[in-house]
Amino acid sequence: GSHFSNEDLVHSAYLARDYDGTIVESKKKGSTTVWTVDLVPKKGSAVVWSKIRMIVEKERRIPQSQVFFDERGNVTGVEPF
């Protein structure tokens, strides 16, 4: 399991402001297309994670999960939706 503080959850509301996203993979999962999106901090952003990897259902733009990485590239938490 993973543990997230209220600060972690509130901070996730600022993803678009603080991170740049890149679709690194697009694949079919049944009748749905799923994107893997890597978010990296924008220059000058004071953020907690060095990268966030999101799995997103393309058609409805619904996140499926997020994986959080520290500055060393280690996974620090996983948040399923």
Side-chain angles (χ1 to χ4, degrees):
S2 60
H3 173 75
F4 291 94
S5 67
N6 285 337
E7 181 180 336
D8 292 338
L9 298 174
V10 169
H11 186 78
S12 69
Y14 300 102
L15 293 178
R17 184 192 74 190
D18 295 334
Y19 290 85
D20 288 319
T22 302
I23 298 170
V24 296
E25 183 178 46
S26 180
K27 66 181 178 181
K28 290 296 264 184
K29 189 175 184 182
S31 62
T32 303
T33 300
V34 177
W35 285 337
T36 300
V37 180
D38 281 354
L39 303 172
V40 294
K42 292 180 179 179
K43 186 173 182 161
S45 293
V47 296
V48 176
W49 306 288
S50 66
K51 180 172 83 174
I52 302 170
R53 175 163 285 171
M54 295 185 76
I55 307 301
V56 179
E57 182 186 316
K58 176 186 173 187
E59 289 78 12
R60 297 187 299 161
R61 304 292 198 267
I62 297 175
Q64 305 295 308
S65 66
Q66 296 181 103
V67 180
F68 299 89
F69 296 84
D70 66 15
E71 65 281 351
R72 294 183 184 149
N74 297 316
V75 173
T76 61
V78 177
E79 179 180 15
F81 290 95

